[in-house]
Structures are given as structure tokens and as C-alpha cells.
Amino acid sequence: ASKEADLKIVLLGESAVGKSSLVTRFASNAFDADKESTIGAAFIVKKYYVTDPETNEVKLINFQIWDTAGQERYQSLAPMYYRNASVAIIVFDLTDISSLTKAEFWIAELEAYNREEHKIQILLVGNKSDLSKNENDNQISETVERLKVPYFKTSAKEGTGVDELFKYIVDSIDDG
Ligand code: GTP
Ligand code: MG
């Protein structure tokens, strides 16, 4: 690899929406149906190689991922983890509309932080697409339109949409 870049990412969202499962799918291409709820936060490093289609040059991206704990009692710790992040992935559960309300809360908090001259790129992810029967689609699309953030649907269980999400992140830092 002739080029190298570090990329700091934070995941935020209500407990049990699948933040840790998304990271495990991305970092190890695995899924654990009995995943333990995260305590405090977990730090995961993942090396990711991308080839420039024009120059064939290989670039190494060192993903540095803070996977935060969604349980209410850890909420006040979040700024420690998003403070230095370049990208924030806000996750909700497509089958649990209350988790979308929590996602809106995190987006508002990060937008407030960004108003103080920070530039965290905010992405919204609806996870557990394998369980979803599109029951909340109207409310979700209304919210996505209003928030004006890039939106992805994923299944950490089946792997659907996970590559697209991280590919989007890699492409957007390449431009910047
Ligand atoms: P906290 O660490 O408590 O904040 O939760 P989390 O957001 O990290 O959720 P976690 O990854 O631990 O997943 C919670 C539960 O949902 C686990 O039982 C997972 O196996 C399950 N789960 C996660 N993603 C998916 C998915 O895409 N589909 C299905 N069917 N289950 C999922
Ligand atoms: Mg977790």
C-alpha cells in the first residue's frame, strides 16, 4: 500500500438495535445471535484496502471504530467517543419505531456539536431489514426527508447493505 489513511468512526443508537452486530459483520463477516449488550464502549480496528479504479493504486484505510453502549445509563459518556470522530453512524431498528426517535435525538446532539465548528459526517442506518415487514416505512421516510442525512438499510444478520454503507464512507473521505 502506497497510501494510508486513518478513519475514526463512532456508532450511536438505542440498545439492541444492532450496532455491535454491524461492526462484527463489517470487521469479521460474522453474526452472533446471542450478542451481549455492550458495556461502556468497545474499540475495534479494521484494515480495509481500496483500489483506485483509474490508477490501480492501493490505499489502506485504518478504520478505528468506537462502538458505544446504547443503554441509557451510558448516554452521558457518548461525547468522549464522538468528539474525535470523522463519521457517526446512527443506528435504529427498522421494526422498533421508538429506536428511530432515539436516532433523531443523537442526530440533533451531533448537529449541535457540529455547529461549534466540528465536522462529523452523520449517517442514518435502519438495521434488521431481514425482520422488517415495511410496517414503519411511512414514518421512516418522513423522518429521513426531514433530517436530510444519508440513509442506509442493513441486516447485520444477513449482511445486506453493510458493504454499501462502508463503501459510501470510504468514497466520501476520498473526496474530502
Ligand atoms: P447495545 O450494545 O446494548 O447498545 O446493543 P447493540 O446496538 O450493540 O445491539 P447488538 O448488536 O448487541 O444486537 C442486539 C440483538 O439484535 C442481538 O441479539 C443480535 O443478534 C440482534 N441483531 C442485530 N442485528 C440484527 C439483524 O440485522 N437482524 C436480526 N434478525 N437480528 C439482529
Ligand atoms: Mg453493542
Side-chain angles (χ1 to χ4, degrees):
S2 54
K3 278 193 182 171
E4 200 169 325
D6 294 340
L7 183 47
K8 294 185 168 60
I9 297 199
V10 66
L11 285 94
L12 293 161
E14 193 164 285
S15 182
V17 296
K19 298 178 297 298
S20 301
S21 300
L22 280 169
V23 174
T24 301
R25 174 59 71 195
F26 172 62
S28 318
N29 199 21
F31 178 74
D32 176 2
D34 303 312
K35 195 115 196 146
E36 304 250 329
S37 184
T38 305
I39 296 168
F43 185 63
I44 298 94
V45 174
K46 165 77 175 172
K47 287 185 184 301
Y48 188 92
Y49 294 90
V50 276
T51 309
D52 185 319
E54 276 162 27
T55 62
N56 271 339
E57 194 176 42
V58 177
K59 186 173 182 181
L60 167 60
I61 316 254
N62 295 303
F63 274 95
Q64 297 166 0
I65 305 173
W66 278 109
D67 169 25
T68 66
Q71 287 179 45
E72 201 74 31
R73 63 185 135 136
Y74 300 113
Q75 189 164 313
S76 61
L77 300 178
M80 290 202 313
Y81 303 111
Y82 67 65
R83 195 156 46 207
N84 297 313
S86 301
V87 180
I89 303 177
I90 314 295
V91 186
F92 70 99
D93 177 342
L94 288 163
T95 69
D96 172 11
I97 205 70
S98 76
S99 70
L100 180 61
T101 306
K102 191 74 198 192
E104 287 193 66
F105 164 85
W106 284 120
I107 290 171
E109 175 153 335
L110 287 168
E111 283 177 344
Y113 186 68
N114 276 347
R115 279 195 283 278
E116 302 163 18
E117 295 186 26
H118 300 279
K119 273 195 191 141
I120 303 174
Q121 187 189 6
I122 302 168
L123 308 179
L124 180 63
V125 171
N127 186 45
K128 307 196 186 182
S129 64
D130 58 289
L131 296 179
S132 158
K133 298 183 183 69
N134 305 322
E135 58 273 43
N136 299 317
D137 273 8
N138 285 344
Q139 197 170 336
I140 292 167
S141 50
E142 251 173 50
T143 306
V144 168
E145 236 170 83
R146 177 161 42 80
L147 295 172
K148 297 183 172 56
V149 291
Y151 171 58
F152 299 84
K153 266 192 196 183
T154 59
S155 167
K157 182 177 180 181
E158 295 179 342
T160 324
V162 178
D163 287 345
E164 288 83 346
L165 168 66
F166 285 91
K167 186 99 190 20
Y168 178 90
I169 294 171
V170 168
D171 289 346
S172 61
I173 59 146
D174 260 7
D175 302 338

